[in-house]
Amino acid sequence: SFYLYFFKKASDGFELTCIWGMLINIILYLTAIKNVHRQQAKSINNLFKIIFSIVGVCQLIKIVFYLKFILSSGLGHLAIYTDSEELLSSIPFAIRAISGFSSIMALAVFYYKSSKKYKMLAFILLASDLVIGIRNKFFFAFICIIILSLYSNRKKIIAIFARISKVHYLLIGFVGFSMISYLREGYEINFINYLGVVLDSLSSTLAGLQDLYSLPDENGWALLNPLTILSQVLPLSGFGFISDAQIAHEYSTIVLGSVSNGIALSSSGLLEASIISLHFNLFIYLAYLLIMISIIQKGLNSNYVIFNFFALAMMTGFFYSVRGELILPFAYVLKSFPIIIIANLLTQQKSRN
């Protein structure tokens, strides 16, 4: 919001959205952060470790399939998007379904007491998609790791966070993730110049809204169906064969005209709140953020393991919903539902010895 407002000359009413975007961040910072009031007393058990190993193997197999497809396509990373149907059909459904548990299982390792070995394996599991050029899963999972680790080793994590949140570490992270994108896309421009492209890319989640604000309603907002905000939970949770309609596709078609070359815009919380109500979008989005934060905090602080796992499933989706779909937290719950329903079998009271 800051970048678009001050450097991209927001206009046609979009400047108010940018201002509200900045204010929402300030409001959340001042009101939503609560101290963790319960230290974790449970640890992962042997059944958890068995399932974790199976999920890890399936994730490894999926990554191998993805790599082979990307390397043989001649299109690089973009093949994931331009030939997604062919890619998905080449991977056995069971492998895709089980690898979908990687997020909730890995995050549970950091939430509950576990050995350093399992924490390292969980970190590798979450970072594995970087190999095929997918950054978002690891980026948002890393935020979750910091939050969840407060439940098992509060003092150590606060000290680590204080170090990594320094400006030079943040710059290193920005350059590192930009390098992954630079290499996966095979850009031939100078890398320093490419960093400017990345800033525009990061802002594109909101920048496309500027185009919608400048279009007549019948050519823009009127073409976006509010019901799709809910129904897109199906393709997002792996049930695209029932319905594959998504706001991101409709949005990209309106703003870009075509998505056939693999270049598209993602949805965002602000976009979907605006589709629900153009006049009350910021209030809707702020209410959504506060409600989701409250649900996740209550789940993490609950003494019931099933509620812990429910919150773990929602976390990554919630953070991703900032530049994705509002329904993502519930899509992650659907994807992780088999794990959630057996959650009580996956932990044990931590031994005092």
Side-chain angles (χ1 to χ4, degrees):
S1 295
F2 181 88
Y3 176 69
L4 290 170
Y5 183 81
F6 288 102
F7 297 99
K8 290 297 182 179
K9 300 178 180 179
S11 59
D12 298 319
F14 179 57
E15 65 272 19
L16 295 177
T17 298
C18 292
I19 292 172
W20 266 103
M22 291 182 274
L23 288 175
I24 283 176
N25 280 279
I26 295 171
I27 293 170
L28 289 175
Y29 179 79
L30 294 175
T31 64
I33 298 176
K34 297 180 181 178
N35 291 326
V36 176
H37 65 259
R38 184 174 69 87
Q39 290 295 296
Q40 186 54 253
K42 295 184 176 71
S43 61
I44 61 175
N45 62 17
N46 289 332
L47 177 59
F48 182 100
K49 293 174 182 177
I50 292 171
I51 296 175
F52 179 84
S53 299
I54 295 171
V55 171
V57 170
C58 289
Q59 175 69 3
L60 175 61
I61 294 172
K62 188 194 80 171
I63 294 297
V64 171
F65 270 100
Y66 267 69
L67 268 179
K68 287 183 177 179
F69 187 83
I70 290 170
L71 294 174
S72 63
S73 69
L75 297 174
H77 171 80
L78 285 179
I80 295 176
Y81 306 103
T82 57
D83 301 315
S84 59
E85 291 186 6
E86 182 183 348
L87 171 60
L88 293 177
S89 65
S90 69
I91 306 173
F93 176 78
I95 296 296
R96 287 190 283 119
I98 296 173
S99 67
F101 303 147
S102 60
S103 179
I104 189 172
M105 294 298 290
L107 291 180
V109 170
F110 290 96
Y111 176 71
Y112 294 106
K113 296 286 186 180
S114 60
S115 66
K116 290 182 179 179
K117 178 183 77 173
Y118 274 93
K119 282 185 169 62
M120 179 60 68
L121 290 173
F123 187 84
I124 293 172
L125 186 61
L126 291 171
S128 60
D129 281 334
L130 291 174
V131 176
I132 55 176
I134 298 177
R135 302 159 299 173
N136 293 322
K137 179 180 176 181
F138 175 70
F139 176 77
F140 292 112
F142 185 70
I143 297 174
C144 294
I145 288 172
I146 294 173
I147 295 171
L148 295 174
S149 297
L150 291 173
Y151 286 84
S152 57
N153 199 331
R154 184 176 178 81
K155 290 182 179 180
K156 182 178 179 180
I157 294 303
I158 289 176
I160 291 174
F161 183 72
R163 286 203 305 269
I164 66 174
S165 61
K166 292 179 180 179
V167 174
H168 60 283
Y169 285 117
L170 294 176
L171 288 174
I172 290 172
F174 170 71
V175 173
F177 277 98
S178 298
M179 179 63 76
I180 292 171
S181 177
Y182 183 77
L183 293 174
R184 76 178 186 181
E185 306 294 359
Y187 283 104
E188 297 180 355
I189 64 173
N190 182 279
F191 178 66
I192 301 300
N193 294 333
Y194 175 71
L195 293 179
V197 175
V198 173
L199 283 174
D200 278 341
S201 175
L202 290 172
S203 66
S204 66
T205 298
L206 285 178
L209 283 172
Q210 171 74 80
D211 296 283
L212 283 178
Y213 273 94
S214 63
L215 287 170
D217 283 353
E218 63 271 16
N219 295 329
W221 296 109
L223 300 177
L224 296 168
N225 186 355
L227 294 178
T228 305
I229 294 173
L230 294 176
S231 67
Q232 63 187 343
V233 70
L234 294 172
L236 291 172
S237 53
F239 297 97
F241 56 89
I242 299 176
S243 171
D244 61 357
Q246 289 185 247
I247 291 293
H249 183 273
E250 298 173 2
Y251 175 46
S252 298
T253 302
I254 293 170
V255 175
L256 302 177
S258 172
V259 294
S260 58
N261 59 358
I263 304 299
L265 296 174
S266 66
S267 187
S268 69
L270 277 174
L271 168 65
E272 296 192 359
S274 299
I275 294 171
I276 295 171
S277 173
L278 195 55
H279 299 293
F280 299 101
N281 53 354
L282 282 310
F283 297 103
I284 292 171
Y285 188 45
L286 179 59
Y288 165 85
L289 293 174
L290 293 176
I291 291 170
M292 287 297 104
I293 289 172
S294 177
I295 292 173
I296 291 170
Q297 286 181 333
K298 289 182 183 300
L300 293 178
N301 288 324
S302 173
N303 291 319
Y304 296 97
V305 176
I306 193 168
F307 291 151
N308 298 157
F309 272 79
F310 185 86
L312 291 173
M314 293 185 75
M315 279 189 77
T316 307
F318 170 69
F319 285 116
Y320 204 162
S321 70
V322 174
R323 59 155 298 169
E325 295 79 4
L326 291 177
I327 203 71
L328 268 177
F330 300 100
Y332 274 69
V333 169
L334 278 178
K335 287 177 67 174
S336 307
F337 193 69
I339 298 297
I340 294 172
I341 60 176
I342 64 167
N344 288 321
L345 304 176
L346 302 179
T347 66
Q348 62 189 10
Q349 201 68 22
K350 184 178 181 293
S351 172
R352 295 181 180 273
N353 297 329

